[in-house]
């Protein structure tokens, strides 16, 4: 049997891809078939006034799917993207994609290509997103938003040189917190963490002329992440500040919880993750914390996450492959499944944390194989 | 775009890059019983709103009675969007609201599906015209068997028979995995390469053998390797005997070095096929452990075993057919004897030894 590579993560991508292609069958044919019940879940007749859905998830009217003009369509797609963000749900993205497909691409403006790129990016189709942004930038070369989007996509794909170019152009077109944050992010991934932290600290302490709360929140969470490994007290303060600026920022919440877990602050993890069991990244961190404090509750939560993974595998939908790899490493150890998920994630995203996760999964499997 | 919109869009995008998301994309569940030819579909309450307006009183709440009040409209929508057909005609599908159920903590309405004929095909158009990510996860059961499938915009049709893909797809799948394992199992590939080099010859041969002769010789060698690894693959995969994986791995690594040494100093003479046979036995145990891993079981069903083995042979054949003509041409050059073979084989020998120590320790 071929041993799993222990070299640097960029080294044996072909081998890993092949291993993954082989390994994934374990999940699709084995785990799924074995774990999914052949019988459907039981049904029941609830009381007439049983509440099933409420709030923004309730539609007051059916969304028309008749052809509409290009601007109106873009607005509707935008609404779906906003809904997806508010609910933290990929569900509206499917509707957004379908709406965009209604309009002949010959009629697309830069904004449509940008929206399409955003949908693709959220679904981790980074190649598609990059292509859409390229089309958008050919139509609106001075739109700063496009350059920032292109920066994000390039960073996710590990194209750091391209990312630097997009960030530089964005900074020229739209200086401010976001420009400082993108520069710091780029510096950090290219090994200049100290300069990155200093740059961003100075930027955040500067008086804000534009009242850019969105940019400030982004810069603060970026700095919190940079400080996490170096200055715990600063990191703690910054994560809390990021959450105070936007309590619904799931990214900051999930990373803060992970950081708290690493600091062994179990009670704080449970406090900040309470009510977010539907968010895989946060739920998995919570399950880890519960293992140390309330094993029964940890088992129940892990069972629910397992069920989600089984459903994702049945759908062949690997949007949360990163989180699932962490789950199979830290919550329900299964090195084969962990490597599968980490490899799938690596096929989508090439950030430093994705590389670290893949290396962890490889080591976990090699450790088991060596035994 | 206005500045406000720009900033708002930025936030949406920034969160998108960060990627923490809750919930799943729109998913329905179809349960089909191939014994009584009836089924059930579970649709999320949030998705039912795509079929008709449920919150008639606009209080931003959906209660169960609003679902049951809209049952007729919902059932009609489902009848239009889900079509089943038998061998000679389209069946009339009776759809009826059955009750409430849950999937992953989400409320779903369950509808029974009762066709008036025995269907063998299902055509699914529900929600996929409005949601590009919508999928229906299908479970078909009959007797003790179950088959899973997925319906989507890309794949809206489904054969409702229980074994539509269980044999053909699994066979093809294991065949492909057998091929992949040989191609990307670098230790097996290096061993095969040394067998090809040994057949072409190196030391003491001033003239190359004709390609046809070479192919015949190589056919014997590769066949011996095949017989060897097929035997032990069967022995281990059927659960009869499986030696220590560490020992197998170490011996596989060692086989690579010994085979490389045989090219530099052909101690097997014209009997390289014996070497291939003996080490083929070792490699077979290695293949078996992979196959066992794939199925999560050390005992492997015969169809999967055979297709995996055929995959290995096909991959082997591809490698030989691709490499042999190239290497045969290269063997005509002086560099072949001067440095190409010595360097390659020394490298392979060293690599094999490193692996041997790594795996033994």
């Amino acid at each position: 049997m071929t041993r799993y590579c222990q070299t640097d993560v960029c080294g044996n991508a072909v081998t890993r891809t092949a291993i993954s292609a082989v390994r994934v069958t374990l999940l699709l044919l084995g785990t799924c078939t074995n774990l999914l019940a052949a019988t459907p879940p039981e049904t029941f007749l609830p009381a007439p006034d049983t509440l099933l859905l409420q709030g923004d998830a309730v539609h007051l009217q059916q969304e028309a799917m008749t052809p509409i003009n290009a601007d109106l369509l873009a607005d509707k797609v935008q609404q779906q993207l906003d809904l997806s963000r508010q609910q933290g749900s990929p569900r509206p993205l499917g509707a957004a994609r379908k709406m965009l497909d209604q309009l002949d691409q010959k009629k697309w403006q830069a904004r449509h290509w940008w929206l399409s790129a955003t949908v693709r990016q959220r679904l981790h189709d980074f190649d598609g997103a990059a292509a859409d942004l390229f089309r958008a930038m050919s139509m609106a070369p001075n739109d700063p938003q496009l350059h920032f989007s292109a920066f994000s996509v390039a960073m996710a794909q590990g194209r750091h040189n391209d990312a630097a170019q997009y960030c530089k152009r964005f900074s020229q077109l739209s200086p401010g917190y976001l420009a400082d944050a993108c520069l710091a992010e780029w510096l950090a991934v290219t090994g200049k963490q100290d300069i990155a932290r200093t740059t961003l600290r100075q930027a955040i302490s500067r008086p804000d002329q534009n009242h850019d709360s969105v940019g400030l929140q982004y810069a603060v969470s970026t700095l919190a992440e940079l400080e996490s490994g170096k200055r715990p007290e600063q990191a703690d303060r910054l994560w809390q500040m990021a959450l105070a600026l936007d309590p619904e920022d799931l990214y900051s919440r999930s990373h803060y919880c992970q950081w708290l877990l690493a600091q062994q602050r179990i009670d704080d993890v449970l406090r900040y993750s309470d009510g977010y069991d539907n968010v895989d990244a946060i739920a998995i961190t919570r399950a880890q914390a519960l293992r140390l404090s309330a094993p029964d509750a940890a088992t129940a939560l892990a069972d629910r996450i397992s069920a989600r993974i089984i459903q994702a595998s049945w759908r062949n939908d690997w949007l949360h492959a990163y989180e699932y790899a962490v789950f199979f490493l830290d919550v329900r150890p299964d090195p084969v499944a962990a490597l599968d998920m980490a490899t799938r994630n690596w096929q989508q995203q090439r950030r430093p944390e994705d590389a670290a996760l893949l290396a962890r999964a490889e080591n976990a499997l090699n450790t088991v194989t060596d035994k | 775009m206005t500045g406000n919109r720009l900033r708002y869009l930025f936030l949406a995008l920034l969160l998108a890059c960060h990627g923490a998301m809750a919930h799943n994309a729109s998913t329905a569940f179809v349960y089909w019983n191939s014994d009584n030819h009836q089924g059930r579909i579970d649709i999320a309450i949030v998705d039912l709103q795509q079929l008709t307006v449920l919150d008639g009183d606009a209080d931003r709440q959906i209660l169960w009675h609003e679902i049951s009040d809209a049952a007729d409209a919902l059932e009609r929508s489902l009848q239009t969007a889900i079509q089943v057909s038998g061998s000679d005609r389209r069946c009339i599908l009776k759809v009826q609201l059955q009750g409430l159920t849950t999937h992953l903590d989400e409320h779903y309405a369950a509808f029974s599906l009762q066709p008036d004929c025995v269907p063998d095909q299902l055509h699914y158009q529900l929600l996929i015209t409005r949601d590009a990510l919508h999928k229906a996860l299908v479970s078909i059961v009959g007797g003790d068997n179950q088959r899973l499938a997925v319906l989507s915009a890309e794949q809206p049709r489904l054969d409702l028979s229980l074994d539509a893909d269980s044999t053909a797809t699994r066979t093809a799948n294991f065949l492909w995995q057998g091929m992949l394992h040989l191609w990307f199992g670098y230790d097996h590939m290096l061993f095969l390469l040394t067998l090809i080099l040994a057949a072409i010859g190196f030391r003491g041969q001033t003239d190359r053998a004709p390609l046809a002769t070479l192919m015949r010789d190589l056919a014997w060698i590769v066949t011996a390797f095949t017989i060897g690894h097929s035997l032990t693959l069967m022995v281990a995969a059927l659960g009869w005997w499986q030696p220590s994986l560490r020992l197998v791995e170490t011996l596989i690594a060692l086989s690579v070095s010994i085979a490389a040494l045989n090219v530099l100093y052909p101690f097997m003479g014209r009997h390289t096929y014996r070497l291939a046979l003996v080490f083929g036995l070792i490699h077979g145990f290695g293949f078996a452990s992979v196959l066992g891993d794939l199925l999560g079981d050390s005992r492997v069903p015969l169809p999967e075993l055979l297709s995996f083995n055929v995959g290995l042979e096909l991959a082997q054949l591809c490698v030989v057919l691709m490499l042999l003509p190239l290497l045969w041409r290269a063997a005509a050059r002086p560099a072949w004897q001067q440095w190409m073979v010595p360097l390659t084989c020394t490298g392979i020998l060293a690599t094999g030894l490193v692996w041997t120590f790594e795996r033994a320790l």
Side-chain angles (χ1 to χ4, degrees), chain A residues 50-298:
Chain A
T50 304
L51 177 64
L52 304 176
L53 204 65
Q54 62 180 336
D56 290 340
V58 176
H59 303 176
L60 297 180
Q61 57 185 18
Q62 264 189 288
E63 195 62 60
M65 292 299 284
T66 48
I68 46 179
N69 75 55
D71 286 338
L72 191 57
L73 183 133
D75 287 343
K76 284 184 173 293
V77 171
Q78 180 62 55
Q79 284 168 14
Q80 293 297 324
L81 287 172
D82 294 343
L83 197 62
S84 170
R85 183 190 67 82
Q86 287 158 12
Q87 298 176 349
S89 167
R91 208 177 216 115
L93 300 178
R97 182 75 262 164
K98 212 70 190 176
M99 286 176 184
L100 281 166
D101 291 344
Q102 277 185 281
L103 187 67
D104 187 343
Q105 286 192 354
K106 288 174 188 161
K107 295 178 184 169
W108 282 24
Q109 301 149 12
R111 187 178 172 209
H112 296 98
W113 287 110
W114 178 83
L115 289 166
S116 175
T118 306
V119 172
R120 289 185 197 279
Q121 186 180 10
R122 287 197 183 195
L123 296 173
H124 290 191
D125 172 13
F126 294 109
D127 288 338
D132 284 349
L133 287 168
F134 185 77
R135 299 284 294 268
M137 280 192 275
S138 69
M139 294 176 172
N142 293 324
D143 184 341
Q145 183 166 257
L146 300 178
H147 291 274
F148 192 86
S149 296
F151 163 78
S152 302
V153 171
M155 288 290 278
Q157 292 184 304
R159 295 186 287 113
H160 297 147
N161 289 339
D162 292 341
Q165 294 301 317
Y166 292 128
C167 178
K168 188 178 169 190
R169 184 72 186 125
F170 174 73
S171 304
Q172 291 165 350
L173 295 166
S174 179
Y177 290 132
L178 286 171
D180 296 322
C182 83
L183 176 63
E185 274 188 80
W186 179 78
L187 286 168
V189 296
T190 50
K192 304 179 185 75
Q193 282 92 346
D194 289 340
I195 305 173
R197 285 202 309 277
T198 310
T199 305
L200 208 47
R201 265 201 303 268
Q202 288 170 351
I204 289 171
S205 59
R206 271 199 310 267
D208 176 21
Q209 304 293 331
N210 302 322
H211 307 289
D212 178 10
S213 60
V214 173
L216 177 63
Q217 199 272 347
Y218 185 80
V220 168
S221 66
T222 304
L223 183 57
E225 211 168 350
L226 294 174
E227 297 282 20
S228 287
K230 294 279 182 181
R231 301 197 307 169
E233 284 178 14
Q234 286 296 316
D236 194 14
R237 191 179 60 79
L238 287 161
W239 280 125
Q240 292 196 26
M241 187 177 164
L243 280 174
L245 286 164
D246 182 0
E248 292 309 311
D249 176 8
L250 298 177
Y251 175 83
S252 293
R253 188 170 294 275
S254 67
H255 277 68
Y256 186 36
C257 288
Q258 285 158 19
W259 183 80
L260 288 169
L261 183 68
Q263 305 296 312
Q264 300 287 312
R265 288 166 56 183
I266 305 302
D267 289 344
D268 287 332
V269 176
L270 297 178
R271 185 155 59 91
Y272 280 95
S273 62
D274 189 23
Y276 290 88
D277 283 0
N278 279 336
V279 182
D280 285 335
I282 300 175
I284 288 167
T285 310
R286 184 175 178 82
Q288 288 174 262
L290 284 170
R291 282 180 81 184
L292 303 171
S293 59
D296 288 346

Side-chain angles (χ1 to χ4, degrees), chain A residues 303-321:
Chain A
D303 286 345
R304 287 164 64 193
I305 299 168
S306 283
R308 283 184 221 163
I309 297 174
I310 290 169
Q311 183 172 314
S313 115
W314 195 355
R315 278 186 61 100
N316 199 19
D317 183 350
W318 303 109
L319 191 60
H320 295 178

